Amino acid sequence: QVRLVQSGAELKRPGASVKISCKTSGYMFNNYVLHWVRQAPGQRPEWMGWISGISGKTQYAQQFQGRVTFTRDTSVRDTSAATVYMDLNSLSLEDTAVYYCARATTWLPLDVWGQGTLVTVSS
Amino acid sequence: EILLTQSPGTLSLSPGERATLSCKASRSVMSDYLAWFQQKTGQAPRLLIYGASRRATGIPDRFTGSGSGTDFTLTISGVEAEDFATYYCQHYAGAPWSFGGGTKVEI
């Protein structure tokens, strides 16, 4: 069974950083790209960027450039298991949102999603 | 950047009625890389349609996607109780990806 399981909710102060994990299982990690999407309360989803499973190459949406980093941790023994991380720094109140990871290929977008991680930024 | 505009904002229907949702792109979506998602409160979006008209795995055939270029449509042939949700279109024809503002389908 294909699964993306994310880490738990976070409460952060303005100016702090947050690191969210997304643990994948049940599929060939190298064959997919992992995207990050966030959704503020009552708003449309917002695409943040992606990280390649096979190469670790990344692409970030312009509005997050310099503030976000995606990394990956792969298992040498099990090519169906990996953990991807999203690190966002200099948090402001506007970063309060649910953050999702989701997998994709060139032609099949976002077909499996993590359960979401609520990040609340509050002073 | 491709901007996606969805209409209507809200669609009020009774079970069994036909739902027609529109998504217009600010410029042509290459290779019809346009997807539709369903989202219920407190849940992650669920992929319904990709490539403008291909149903994702396990999606009932009452959901139909159509269109190309800049104009796309999602049709639900007979809305069932479980279909009341918010629907988003999304393009994946090169970065940056973007989502439309959503159409809420309500009773």
Side-chain angles (χ1 to χ4, degrees):
Chain A
Q1 182 186 8
V2 177
R3 296 191 71 196
L4 304 179
V5 179
Q6 299 182 223
S7 50
E10 301 268 8
L11 174 60
K12 296 292 181 180
R13 300 294 186 204
S17 297
V18 68
K19 190 168 187 175
I20 299 170
S21 67
C22 171
K23 186 172 182 180
T24 75
S25 61
Y27 71 97
M28 291 299 294
F29 180 74
N30 288 350
N31 291 349
Y32 289 81
V33 168
L34 227 295
H35 290 252
W36 289 91
V37 174
R38 76 177 186 179
Q39 190 171 28
Q43 302 300 308
R44 71 182 73 186
E46 180 180 26
W47 179 76
M48 299 180 70
W50 54 261
I51 181 167
S52 166
I54 192 168
S55 67
K57 178 182 176 181
T58 55
Q59 184 170 30
Y60 303 120
Q62 187 173 6
Q63 65 266 39
F64 299 105
Q65 289 271 6
R67 208 160 68 89
V68 72
T69 304
F70 303 150
T71 53
R72 83 199 201 292
D73 221 359
T74 59
S75 167
V76 174
R77 285 180 294 277
D78 183 358
T79 54
S80 68
T83 300
V84 175
Y85 301 90
M86 191 279 294
D87 203 324
L88 185 64
N89 59 42
S90 302
L91 293 171
S92 68
L93 301 181
E94 290 69 39
D95 292 316
T96 293
V98 177
Y99 290 75
Y100 296 100
C101 59
R103 74 170 194 178
T105 65
T106 302
W107 52 273
L108 180 63
L110 309 176
D111 68 324
V112 179
W113 293 63
Q115 82 277 19
T117 297
L118 174 62
V119 174
T120 304
V121 183
S122 173
S123 54
Chain B
E1 178 176 352
I2 296 177
L3 301 179
L4 299 175
T5 303
Q6 292 188 241
S7 61
T10 303
L11 198 52
S12 298
L13 297 169
S14 298
E17 289 190 305
R18 182 186 189 90
T20 303
L21 287 65
S22 172
C23 175
K24 293 187 185 298
S26 58
R27 56 183 171 86
S28 186
V29 178
M30 181 184 69
S31 303
D32 291 338
Y33 279 174
L34 192 286
W36 290 92
F37 293 85
Q38 176 193 70
Q39 188 177 32
K40 298 180 180 179
T41 303
Q43 296 184 16
R46 173 193 179 198
L47 178 66
L48 299 176
I49 300 288
Y50 66 98
S53 61
R54 299 170 185 253
R55 275 184 218 94
T57 302
I59 301 304
D61 60 8
R62 65 179 181 272
F63 291 93
T64 302
S66 61
S68 65
T70 60
D71 290 299
F72 299 89
T73 301
L74 175 69
T75 302
I76 311 173
S77 58
V79 174
E80 298 191 4
E82 65 194 37
D83 301 335
F84 291 98
T86 298
Y87 293 81
Y88 294 99
C89 59
Q90 180 252 332
H91 92 82
Y92 51 106
W97 291 14
S98 61
F99 290 81
T103 292
K104 183 177 181 180
V105 177
E106 63 176 26
I107 298 176

